[in-house]
Amino acid sequence: MASLIPCPHCGSRPKEEFVVKGAAIPRPAPDAGADAWFGYVYLRDNPRGPYDEFWHHTSGCRRWLIVTRDTVTHDIYASRDAAKIGEATP
Amino acid sequence: MRFSALSIILNGLSGNTNWSAHWRRPEPKPDYDVVIVGGGGHGLATAYYLAKIYGVQNIAVLEKAYVGSGNVGRNTTIIRSNYMLSENNPFYELSMKLWEGLEQDFNFNAMVSQRGVLNLFHSDAQRDSYTRRGNAMRLHGVDADLLDRRAVQSLYPFLDFANARFPIQGGLLQRRGGTVRHDAVAWGYARGANGYSVDIIQNCEVTSIRTSNGKAIGVETTRGYIGCGKLALAAAGNSSRVAAMAGLKLPLESHVLQAFVSEGLKPFINGVVTFGAGHFYVSQSDKGGLVFGGDLDGYNSYAQRGNLATVEHVAEAGKAMIPALSRLRVLRSWGGIMDMSMDGSPIIDRGHLDNLYLNAGWCYGGFKATPASGYCFAHLIAKNEPHETARAFRLDRFRRGYIIDEKGQGAQPNLH
Amino acid sequence: MKPYRLAKGGLIDRKQPLSFTFDGKPMKGFSGDTLASALLANGQQFVGRSFKYHRPRGILTAGAAEPNALVTVGQGGRSEPNTRATMQELYEGLEAISQNRWPSLAYDVGAVDGLLSPFLSAGFYYKTFMWPAAFWERVYEPIIRKAAGLGKASYETDPDLYEKCWAHCDLLVIGAGITGLIAALSAGRAGKRVVLIDENAALGAYLLSESSRIDGQPAATFAGTLVAELEDLPNVDLKRATTGFGWYDGNVFGAVERTAGHVAASSGPTLVGRLWRIAAKKAILATGAEERPLVFGGNDIPGVTMAGAMRSYLNRFAVAPGARTAVFTTNDSGYALAADLEAAGVDVAAVIDSRVDASVVYGGKARLVRGGYISDAHGGKAVRRVDLWREGRIERLDVDSVAMSGGFSPVIHLACHRGGRPRWSDAHAAFLAPNGLTDLVLAGSAAGISGLAACAASGLAQAAAALADLGVTTPPMAVPKVEHEYSPQPTKPLWSIPGVKTKAFVDFQNDVHRQDLGLAVREGYEHVELAKRYTTNGMATDQGKLSNVNAIGLIAEARGVSPADVGTTTFRPFYTPVSFGALAGTSHGAQFQPVRKSPLHDWAAKNGAAFVETGLWYRSSWFSRPAEKGWRESVDREVLNVRANAGICDVSMLGKIEIRGVDAAEFLNRVYANAFLKLPVGKARYGLMLREDGFVYDDGTTSRLAEDRYFMTTTTAYAAGVLTHLEFCAQTLWPELDVRLASVTDQWAQMAVAGPKSRAVLQHIVDADLDNLAFPFLAAQDVSLFDGKLKGLLFRISFSGELAYELAVPAGFGESVADAVMEVGKVHGIQPYGVEALNVLRIEKGHVTHNEIDGTTVPADLGLAKMVSSGKRDFIGKHMLSREGLSDRGRPQLVGVVPIDPASSFRSGAHILEKSAAPTLENDQGYITSSCYSPHVGSVIGLALVKRGAARHGEEVTVWNGLRSELTPARLVDPVFIDPVHEKLHA
């Protein structure tokens, strides 16, 4: 893991301030159906390469972020506030 | 060549120049009845049992690097069957029984050493949880003993009983648990499978899976196309990638787990001890190194290397458990890619294609499961129905809600 | 003749003699010695035994790669096994003990292994010790374990101290040889923040051993000049005795600093190690090169030494290797040694150069042999002679020491720690660092460059390049002029040496010899990683620093390919071994984790509480009274007193979250499984929180204190987790909702006041009317206390099943308010009670905790199915809850359990079987989740999760605890043992 994670609110901060949750997948609509919900809760792309993940700036601003990170090099390409999950990756 | 006392002596006297290769280096054939993707412990064990027990003759194991290059050679060598849930416990106990007869079976000394696995507890709640687990083990005839503080102290007087932040109250001991020389497991199965004419094809990475009419008909590899009657995936941390080649998305994440070894020491700690107040487990190899590990680094990763912060956490827990570790030195750290499933338990099941078989989701349990995993996977491939002890490891259990969650952490792999 | 100290020369301080012992034998050295140089000066070349064959071994190197000279230094908790004598500075009173021998170094029983060596080839363990099957653990393995290992560890506690730090810099330079010093100085003069680290206490690296002159000065003096200027630069941080052990993501380097050379046995706790994480914008590896041994027979006999090391001992430590030395080399560096030896009066029997066409001009007296090899060295505990092999003929040379140089391998370890693969260079006859490194470059001999001047130029160039990337120009600096240098130009490597008759070692410590590698290849272990694992080559404490490249060369020859095709094994941290102590820092013992104390901790302590660790908290478990004989007696009294009078309990460690916003009600309605939209202001409600997978996550009460203001309590264990979860929901799932969250756990001291007289007690201090109508069950309000002197929060909620309240006051007032409650409660018989009594009270009432909410139970399992709203369109967990497995009729359900015989008992964790059923997994019905002695019921009672339990009330069962050989006939009952119609709550 990169030693610093760019937080859109706090700037670059040590990774020790953050906690990772996992794949940044949008939550389906309540009536999306069983397949959509099953996929959301249980299935993962688990790619080798760039990946959008939820990270929580636990010891900082306590905002949830979407961090685009490479699962091989561990490089971080981008981060944004997770409230923007509906928007396209910049 | 069968290993025996006589073969050692005769070869020794002739300068050890007559030993033959433990496995051939075959060129891939155009097709096989069964193609197993993954030449690690599970893939090789599967091939071995498939050939030996089920008489399947035309098997290939495809390995992208070298025999045993993945997690079978990157773990902390612990074997145990101290599982709590009825879906897991009989399976891991089958594995333990297979470990107990393995070396005689495949004629290779894997140094199976039942030195005991002791899980420490530090609170009433942990004690109750281990009581539940130990009793579940006993119900299945698995050995388990609940030790009080004094009994733990007599076994391991050098644990921190004097100044601990979380005083040790006792421990759950499985005497039949222990350690195995991990690489030798891969080699023993490879040599055994080779003896049944299994083709072990190294440096052969699968790049795509060819399907037709709902069946897998072959795989493209870095060594050319190989046709298959049945396709079995045992790709551990790379399971998601291989399954994706067949259009299948799995309930898995790949995570890095570090392991460590210290400098060699004269006998220091006899069995396996796990800390209950932090992530740390340790044993000592026959060679003298303390072999130990801790928790996942936490983030998805395909890089077989970890982070310094995790190294520090492991050392902190280690010294908290055994103060005398302080002046001992850590020699080497490495990382393996765990196929972490969404409930912490494995999958041994048929896939969405008629002739596709899955063996994945081993989390931390992969090494100790090796024999039973191969045994049950071979049964499934040969008979098209699950082995009785692996019946619960279905892929559709997530969709149907038959979750096997030892830790109760839910659908977040890095918490298992 | 043995090695000896020269009468003059060297960088040792002869005015400061030091006494030390080796295996109890008193010896003398000087300040500036390493233990190795001092041992040699005392004629002690034989210092250890090898791992497998227990062969006598001497000091091979003068640095970090030493595989042989490992000793145990220090006593008691300060004892350090496997200390490299070559890296240990000598100090007064040092006691070194040799290792891996019994009963003594000179007479070692384990040496018998050497006689068995024909049968102990690589991998022999895997082929044998299998008959009879039971003998492995009982006979063979104990013997192997005893024979294996190196030093013996102490079980005593280390008295010394460690700490951890971060450092940040523009440029990190690792290695303070000529390359690193020049690079650091150049960047330092440019004003950038520079950190220069070196594993040795004395900076200068090989400059301290050089006989060449630089800029007209002795090399060591030149190094001193550079160091002096670096020390004067405020922007340069020199860290001596600091080993960079790993390169991690984000250009962070791990390094460990040995802050005290040694600690006298009588000293108190002393800071001995400091772990550095150095975050560098740019880094230069100036780590030099490792000289490679030559693989001839008997190359491990004491007296055979690396040529560069011999030169170090000679020039830096003024120790001559003996009277007559043979130098065996593949490159020009051997000539530098020969010249220095001759200058020091040592007879050089021959300089044996494997190159027929070597063109180096040598001015000394020694005989030069071109195109020759040492095929075997002979001797037992010291080398006596060598076989000089040339064109098939053997000539015998009597010598007492041998130097060897097989070329140089750049020290590229750290550059490979992040997954890059080293690449073989035929031109350098070595593996070089991977391509494509970012923010890290190699310079000097670490980059395969030969010669001091060229290294200096490389250091300058790389510093300039690194700073240019940072937008800074380095001021011009001249490359120093070097005189009298034999530059070790790369030459054709020499793997297999012809004519070898005896064991030729590749990995000295692990006793891997040439034939072992050939055997591994023949047996199918030709991949370099397999060969390593099969033979253990490179797995010793030096991690293959000396052995790996030779092994790769030999494997390449055996396979008929180039070393490029064989490749290397993976370089991984740690460059050299790092102690647990340094990695753990201050986190161990009682300081392993921080302590959290409730604002009522001192109040509880003065009232006689016994404390128990609960996560990071210390919670009061019970309050014993003088006459009470055991904890049970105290707990029973506390429970009965709550049921009869009133009790006060510290519940401050429950998680407390304040929730505000226009949409707070909607938000809560979505995060709880039960309805929250219509909770009125002034009321509390029990809430059940699920995970998205439908299983119960946590429970607690949430109170609506105002239209847009809520106060949520969570369980102690999940306080942090619930807040994080709520933030996730608010920020990522429903960012459109106006809701704000804040943890207020530490802001409030909270006490439960429970029991039939609790109203009377609290009415003394609460200003508002607490009458049942005015403040009914589940009332929750801001209240004023003590006639308006203090504001607090009062909740009429009950975990015990009694009339009960929870009172929250600002944390700083907690203790005085609790004191006041005790004071006014005296007449009502109030007593403090702890978590043990709290637990009894809740089990009696059938309330669940995380013993039951264990992450695998759904609401219906806990009898809470009715709480799950069927009307809500969405809430966390709704969509997975309908899966068939979550309503399977075989699922466990919460029940109560009582023993048939009230005098008998059972414990939590015991399993439940049908009455008289055999104890098998198939017959397992469930298990006891919580149990206690209930003074109300008059027996042990329990809660349990039992298959179809809700429908089995009244059934006789067996409670089975095989671990304790306990079998208790019992009955399944309703889980509510007290006041099933909840009259007390509403009283």
Side-chain angles (χ1 to χ4, degrees):
Chain A
M1 263 305 294
S3 70
L4 297 173
I5 295 179
C7 172
H9 310 293
C10 311
S12 281
R13 303 294 307 167
K15 69 170 186 301
E16 285 72 16
E17 294 182 358
F18 299 79
V19 175
V20 64
K21 182 180 172 80
I25 316 171
R27 189 170 184 263
D31 55 1
D35 278 355
W37 276 99
F38 168 68
Y40 170 65
V41 176
Y42 285 107
L43 298 183
R44 297 292 177 264
D45 283 330
N46 195 22
R48 184 185 162 89
Y51 198 29
D52 279 358
E53 294 172 325
F54 284 127
W55 287 74
H56 186 227
H57 196 180
T58 309
S59 302
C61 60
R62 293 201 67 90
R63 289 295 297 181
W64 279 92
L65 313 177
I66 296 172
V67 174
T68 308
R69 194 182 62 87
D70 192 296
T71 61
V72 181
T73 65
H74 298 163
D75 289 339
I76 291 174
Y77 303 123
S79 77
R80 57 198 169 122
D81 193 281
K84 298 179 179 170
I85 186 164
E87 302 166 20
T89 309
Chain B
M1 185 186 298
R2 196 170 168 79
F3 297 147
S4 65
L6 187 65
S7 70
I8 300 275
I9 291 169
L10 292 178
N11 273 288
L13 294 176
S14 61
N16 288 308
T17 51
N18 294 324
W19 294 107
S20 55
H22 292 184
W23 46 83
R24 295 165 291 122
R25 264 174 276 181
E27 285 301 313
K29 291 194 270 185
D31 57 78
Y32 292 90
D33 291 346
V34 178
V35 166
I36 298 169
V37 180
H42 290 224
L44 292 166
T46 303
Y48 174 73
Y49 292 117
L50 205 49
K52 183 179 175 183
I53 297 178
Y54 300 100
V56 179
Q57 304 229 318
N58 190 20
I59 305 170
V61 176
L62 310 186
E63 168 51 49
K64 73 182 165 84
Y66 56 93
V67 161
S69 49
N71 294 339
V72 71
R74 294 171 189 274
N75 55 78
T76 45
T77 80
I78 298 166
I79 59 167
R80 56 185 172 87
S81 57
N82 57 358
Y83 281 73
M84 183 170 75
L85 299 178
S86 60
E87 295 91 337
N88 280 326
N89 175 322
F91 173 81
Y92 284 97
E93 177 58 13
L94 169 67
S95 212
M96 182 61 79
K97 292 215 167 77
L98 290 167
W99 283 119
E100 286 169 338
L102 185 63
E103 294 152 305
Q104 304 297 318
D105 184 54
F106 67 22
N107 181 234
F108 200 85
N109 186 357
M111 302 174 205
V112 175
S113 183
Q114 294 177 290
R115 324 185 62 79
V117 172
L118 177 67
N119 304 120
L120 300 176
F121 58 79
H122 309 255
S123 69
D124 289 358
Q126 281 185 324
R127 177 202 59 210
D128 293 349
S129 174
Y130 279 131
T131 302
R132 177 190 174 195
R133 196 205 287 201
N135 278 317
M137 292 161 65
R138 287 236 180 162
L139 280 174
H140 189 58
V142 181
D143 73 300
D145 288 289
L146 198 70
L147 307 187
D148 61 12
R149 179 182 161 98
R150 184 182 302 240
V152 171
Q153 198 161 7
S154 73
L155 275 181
Y156 296 108
F158 49 85
L159 302 180
D160 193 348
F161 289 97
N163 189 37
R165 171 72 176 80
F166 302 102
I168 295 165
Q169 288 192 13
L172 180 69
L173 175 65
Q174 184 185 18
R175 291 177 207 275
R176 285 163 65 240
T179 56
V180 179
R181 169 83 180 95
H182 55 7
D183 291 322
V185 176
W187 303 339
Y189 276 121
R191 179 169 165 270
N194 181 74
Y196 290 102
S197 304
V198 172
D199 279 0
I200 298 165
I201 304 166
Q202 303 181 76
N203 301 310
C204 181
E205 181 169 4
V206 172
T207 52
S208 70
I209 294 173
R210 212 183 278 178
T211 61
S212 172
N213 293 327
K215 294 184 74 156
I217 57 169
V219 290
E220 299 286 355
T221 79
T222 48
R223 296 181 66 175
Y225 176 77
I226 301 171
C228 65
K230 294 181 174 184
L231 182 62
L233 309 183
N238 285 299
S239 293
S240 294
R241 297 176 60 220
V242 182
M245 295 174 194
L248 181 61
K249 193 163 163 181
L250 294 176
L252 296 181
E253 287 182 5
S254 295
H255 284 265
V256 63
L257 178 65
Q258 299 192 61
F260 308 84
V261 66
S262 78
E263 293 182 338
L265 299 164
K266 290 296 174 194
F268 179 79
I269 185 165
N270 189 51
V272 182
V273 184
T274 77
F275 195 36
H279 293 282
F280 184 73
Y281 36 92
V282 62
S283 64
Q284 188 168 15
S285 75
D286 284 338
K287 200 163 166 288
L290 301 176
V291 181
F292 59 98
D295 197 9
L296 296 176
D297 276 26
Y299 44 82
N300 281 40
S301 177
Y302 282 91
Q304 289 171 323
R305 62 197 159 80
N307 231 288
L308 182 55
T310 307
V311 178
E312 295 175 38
H313 290 153
V314 171
E316 289 165 5
K319 187 171 170 183
M321 185 171 101
I322 306 176
L325 290 179
S326 184
R327 294 262 174 176
L328 307 182
R329 301 188 194 93
V330 188
L331 179 61
R332 188 171 169 90
S333 66
W334 62 95
I337 304 304
M338 308 292 111
D339 36 337
M340 300 299 296
S341 73
M342 299 305 268
D343 65 358
S345 294
I347 298 158
I348 301 179
D349 201 355
R350 301 178 63 182
H352 65 310
L353 304 175
D354 260 1
N355 59 342
L356 180 70
Y357 303 83
L358 291 175
N359 175 315
W362 289 99
C363 303
Y364 301 100
F367 179 66
K368 64 189 76 67
T370 305
S373 169
Y375 196 88
C376 295
F377 198 35
H379 183 281
L380 176 73
I381 296 164
K383 305 209 159 202
N384 263 335
E385 60 183 47
H387 186 272
E388 58 176 351
T389 64
R391 209 169 275 282
F393 300 151
R394 297 166 61 116
L395 180 58
D396 70 0
R397 69 174 185 269
F398 302 98
R399 187 182 283 274
R400 295 175 60 225
Y402 290 94
I403 301 302
I404 313 171
D405 190 348
E406 290 267 338
K407 288 192 184 170
Q409 293 291 356
Q412 192 175 331
N414 63 2
L415 300 180
H416 287 291
Chain C
M1 186 175 166
K2 292 174 172 178
Y4 60 94
R5 180 86 72 187
L6 297 166
K8 60 183 172 59
L11 302 178
I12 48 170
D13 183 352
R14 292 177 196 256
K15 292 196 194 77
Q16 287 197 58
L18 300 171
S19 306
F20 71 103
T21 65
F22 176 70
D23 282 347
K25 188 173 155 194
M27 295 187 178
K28 293 276 187 200
F30 294 109
S31 176
D33 262 326
T34 62
L35 175 57
S37 66
L39 284 166
L40 289 172
N42 284 271
Q44 188 75 42
Q45 169 67 267
F46 169 29
V47 293
R49 291 270 180 179
S50 70
F51 184 82
K52 185 162 152 188
Y53 302 130
H54 289 244
R55 287 168 69 103
R57 288 287 162 80
I59 294 164
L60 187 63
T61 73
E66 178 61 36
N68 291 342
L70 305 185
V71 295
T72 300
V73 170
Q75 297 96 38
R78 289 183 167 125
S79 140
E80 289 188 11
N82 305 335
T83 297
R84 288 158 296 168
T86 50
M87 297 300 285
Q88 174 67 53
E89 292 152 52
L90 193 66
Y91 57 82
E92 177 63 30
L94 185 152
E95 294 180 20
I97 309 287
S98 63
Q99 300 183 163
N100 209 32
R101 80 292 185 275
W102 185 86
S104 75
L105 187 59
Y107 303 99
D108 175 29
V109 170
V112 71
D113 290 357
L115 301 176
L116 298 174
S117 67
F119 313 110
L120 304 184
S121 60
F124 85 100
Y125 296 96
Y126 306 116
K127 299 169 184 163
T128 185
F129 302 127
M130 289 183 276
W131 319 277
F135 267 40
W136 170 249
E137 278 156 40
R138 279 193 258 137
V139 181
Y140 304 129
E141 194 182 34
I143 294 170
I144 290 169
R145 281 183 173 246
K146 216 174 151 216
L150 296 164
K152 195 164 160 22
S154 158
Y155 285 120
E156 289 182 50
T157 298
D158 181 356
D160 290 326
L161 309 175
Y162 303 83
E163 65 183 24
K164 299 184 186 180
C165 297
W166 279 93
H168 298 264
C169 59
D170 296 306
L171 179 68
L172 169 68
V173 180
I174 301 181
I178 190 164
T179 312
L181 287 171
I182 295 270
L185 190 55
S186 165
R189 284 178 182 172
K192 299 309 282 182
R193 285 192 304 169
V194 177
V195 173
L196 171 62
I197 68 174
D198 191 279
E199 62 185 344
N200 295 292
L203 301 181
Y206 208 75
L207 292 176
L208 307 181
S209 301
E210 265 296 340
S211 53
S212 310
R213 295 176 70 85
I214 305 176
D215 279 354
Q217 311 169 73
T221 309
F222 173 76
T225 312
L226 297 188
V227 170
E229 185 180 345
L230 284 165
E231 276 178 329
D232 280 347
L233 288 173
N235 54 316
V236 175
D237 184 2
L238 290 182
K239 296 188 192 303
R240 295 174 162 87
T242 303
T243 306
F245 61 72
W247 185 37
Y248 296 92
D249 291 334
N251 221 32
V252 171
F253 292 79
V256 65
E257 179 181 1
R258 293 169 296 285
T259 52
H262 74 283
V263 183
S266 58
S267 306
T270 305
L271 183 72
V272 294
R274 185 179 288 133
L275 183 78
W276 286 100
R277 303 88 147 202
I278 306 172
K281 286 183 186 156
K282 298 282 173 185
I284 294 176
L285 276 193
T287 39
E290 197 73 66
E291 195 168 27
R292 292 198 288 261
L294 287 163
V295 188
F296 55 86
N299 60 349
D300 65 325
I301 296 170
V304 180
T305 309
M306 301 309 306
M310 190 180 281
R311 193 159 173 243
S312 255
Y313 290 120
L314 189 74
N315 293 340
R316 177 174 170 189
F317 301 103
V319 177
R324 193 170 149 81
T325 303
V327 177
F328 180 19
T329 188
T330 63
N331 60 79
D332 292 358
S333 73
Y335 296 84
L337 169 65
D340 291 348
L341 284 169
E342 293 201 78
V346 177
D347 180 18
V348 177
V351 178
I352 301 158
D353 192 327
S354 62
R355 300 170 295 181
V356 181
D357 55 351
S359 58
V360 58
V361 178
Y362 180 64
K365 294 182 295 185
R367 170 184 167 199
L368 301 185
V369 181
R370 298 273 155 94
Y373 307 87
I374 289 179
S375 56
D376 286 280
H378 300 280
K381 289 165 188 159
V383 66
R384 291 194 319 272
R385 66 179 167 85
V386 295
D387 293 343
L388 166 58
W389 188 99
R390 193 157 52 157
E391 291 164 1
R393 290 207 327 274
I394 287 178
E395 178 187 342
R396 204 172 125 162
L397 296 178
D398 290 325
V399 295
D400 55 19
S401 45
V402 178
M404 56 181 168
S405 178
F408 291 82
S409 302
V411 176
I412 57 174
H413 294 62
L414 266 58
C416 306
H417 281 176
R418 290 171 66 193
R421 306 299 296 187
R423 52 206 164 85
W424 174 258
S425 161
D426 277 325
H428 295 84
F431 283 97
L432 301 180
N435 285 321
L437 301 173
T438 36
D439 300 326
L440 173 69
V441 291
L442 291 93
S445 45
I449 290 163
S450 288
L452 293 169
C455 284
S458 159
L460 268 182
Q462 294 298 359
L467 265 59
D469 274 359
L470 300 175
V472 176
T473 310
T474 45
M477 194 170 151
V479 174
K481 289 199 172 51
V482 180
E483 306 154 48
H484 311 301
E485 189 187 11
Y486 289 96
S487 171
Q489 297 297 333
T491 48
K492 190 172 175 299
L494 175 60
W495 311 126
S496 279
I497 292 172
V500 172
K501 294 197 183 67
T502 57
K503 278 199 177 60
F505 286 88
V506 181
D507 187 312
F508 290 79
Q509 192 182 108
N510 276 354
D511 277 337
V512 179
H513 55 93
R514 195 171 77 166
Q515 287 166 334
D516 287 327
L517 291 162
L519 178 64
V521 171
R522 276 201 303 286
E523 293 194 301
Y525 299 82
E526 74 280 357
H527 192 287
V528 66
E529 293 279 4
L530 288 173
K532 164 190 159 180
R533 287 161 167 76
Y534 193 60
T535 63
T536 75
N537 189 89
M539 292 169 74
T541 56
D542 66 318
Q543 291 280 287
K545 288 186 181 64
L546 296 182
S547 61
N548 277 354
V549 177
N550 279 336
I552 290 162
L554 290 165
I555 291 169
E557 278 188 354
R559 286 169 52 185
V561 298
S562 153
D565 300 318
V566 174
T568 64
T569 54
T570 311
F571 289 90
R572 291 188 179 280
F574 302 85
Y575 171 65
T576 53
V578 177
S579 73
F580 273 89
L583 290 168
T586 56
S587 296
H588 58 91
Q591 283 74 46
F592 169 51
Q593 296 281 305
V595 170
R596 286 184 88 177
K597 284 184 180 171
S598 148
L600 298 179
H601 187 91
D602 293 345
W603 167 82
K606 75 188 177 194
N607 281 281
F611 291 97
V612 62
E613 303 81 17
T614 308
L616 298 181
W617 294 98
Y618 279 109
R619 296 190 74 172
S620 38
S621 22
W622 63 83
F623 297 78
S624 52
R625 294 193 164 184
E628 288 170 348
K629 286 191 278 296
W631 68 272
R632 251 290 301 285
E633 203 176 322
S634 308
V635 172
D636 286 357
R637 169 183 50 73
E638 291 170 18
V639 169
L640 290 169
N641 191 62
V642 169
R643 299 258 182 246
N645 298 307
I648 173 172
C649 179
D650 180 10
V651 293
S652 304
M653 47 296 279
L654 290 178
K656 295 180 278 291
I657 300 168
E658 187 156 316
I659 302 166
R660 291 195 183 211
V662 172
D663 296 319
E666 173 64 24
F667 176 73
L668 288 167
N669 205 44
R670 296 187 194 181
V671 295
Y672 277 127
N674 49 324
F676 261 82
L677 211 47
K678 291 178 183 154
L679 179 68
V681 173
K683 287 294 250 186
R685 181 169 289 173
Y686 176 73
L688 196 59
M689 206 177 276
L690 309 187
R691 296 188 308 231
E692 199 73 276
D693 64 0
F695 293 90
V696 183
Y697 179 51
D698 200 43
D699 67 348
T701 59
T702 291
S703 306
R704 190 169 200 171
L705 299 171
E707 196 59 35
D708 63 348
R709 177 179 154 226
Y710 291 79
F711 186 89
M712 176 187 283
T713 60
T714 74
T715 57
T716 303
Y718 281 48
V722 168
L723 179 64
T724 303
H725 170 66
L726 296 183
E727 286 169 335
F728 178 77
C729 295
Q731 297 170 19
T732 75
L733 304 185
W734 308 306
E736 69 280 8
L737 296 185
D738 174 29
V739 58
R740 291 288 180 274
L741 305 152
S743 167
V744 293
T745 303
D746 294 324
Q747 275 64 39
W748 297 100
Q750 193 155 325
M751 57 206 90
V753 180
K757 296 179 182 169
S758 57
R759 177 184 292 126
V761 173
L762 283 175
Q763 192 65 79
H764 289 288
I765 64 165
V766 177
D767 301 339
D769 182 7
L770 294 184
D771 179 83
N772 197 31
L773 289 175
F775 204 87
F777 181 55
L778 294 178
Q781 291 176 14
D782 294 294
V783 291
S784 81
L785 307 166
F786 306 108
D787 298 322
K789 291 194 188 73
L790 187 65
K791 299 281 186 207
L793 301 171
L794 188 66
F795 311 91
R796 189 166 159 194
I797 52 179
S798 174
F799 202 37
S800 58
E802 295 297 324
L803 167 67
Y805 302 82
E806 287 187 15
L807 174 65
V809 297
F813 291 93
E815 185 171 350
S816 46
V817 172
D819 285 342
V821 171
M822 288 289 285
E823 186 60 31
V824 300
K826 210 178 269 177
V827 293
H828 304 289
I830 198 167
Q831 294 178 8
Y833 65 102
V835 285
E836 287 294 336
L838 185 75
N839 198 39
V840 174
L841 292 161
R842 73 95 188 169
I843 294 173
E844 288 180 339
K845 187 64 184 173
H847 282 149
V848 294
T849 63
H850 279 295
N851 289 12
E852 290 77 29
I853 303 175
D854 66 355
T856 69
T857 46
V858 295
D861 301 342
L862 304 174
L864 302 171
K866 282 188 191 147
M867 284 190 70
V868 179
S869 165
S870 54
K872 287 198 278 186
R873 183 164 165 266
D874 188 17
F875 60 84
I876 299 286
K878 177 182 169 82
H879 309 281
M880 288 285 108
L881 195 52
S882 55
R883 288 178 290 169
E884 58 175 294
L886 273 57
S887 53
D888 191 287
R889 67 180 297 275
R891 287 196 66 84
Q893 292 175 324
L894 186 74
V895 291
V897 188
V898 289
I900 304 282
D901 174 3
S904 65
S905 70
F906 49 71
R907 301 168 203 257
S908 302
H911 283 240
I912 290 169
L913 306 169
E914 286 179 13
K915 187 183 175 184
S916 312
T920 65
L921 205 54
E922 293 69 32
N923 289 337
D924 191 12
Q925 300 296 301
Y927 71 103
I928 306 278
T929 56
S930 301
S931 67
C932 66
Y933 177 78
S934 164
H936 173 77
V937 176
S939 76
V940 163
I941 59 171
L943 299 177
L945 285 164
V946 175
K947 285 177 188 166
R948 304 181 314 283
R952 294 168 71 173
H953 294 179
E955 180 179 330
E956 279 191 36
V957 293
T958 301
V959 179
W960 183 83
N961 190 339
L963 293 170
R964 295 180 182 271
S965 306
E966 290 171 357
L967 235 155
T968 314
R971 190 184 307 280
L972 302 183
V973 296
D974 188 281
V976 182
F977 294 89
I978 190 166
D979 187 25
V981 291
H982 310 308
E983 281 176 341
K984 288 165 166 259
L985 295 177
H986 296 92

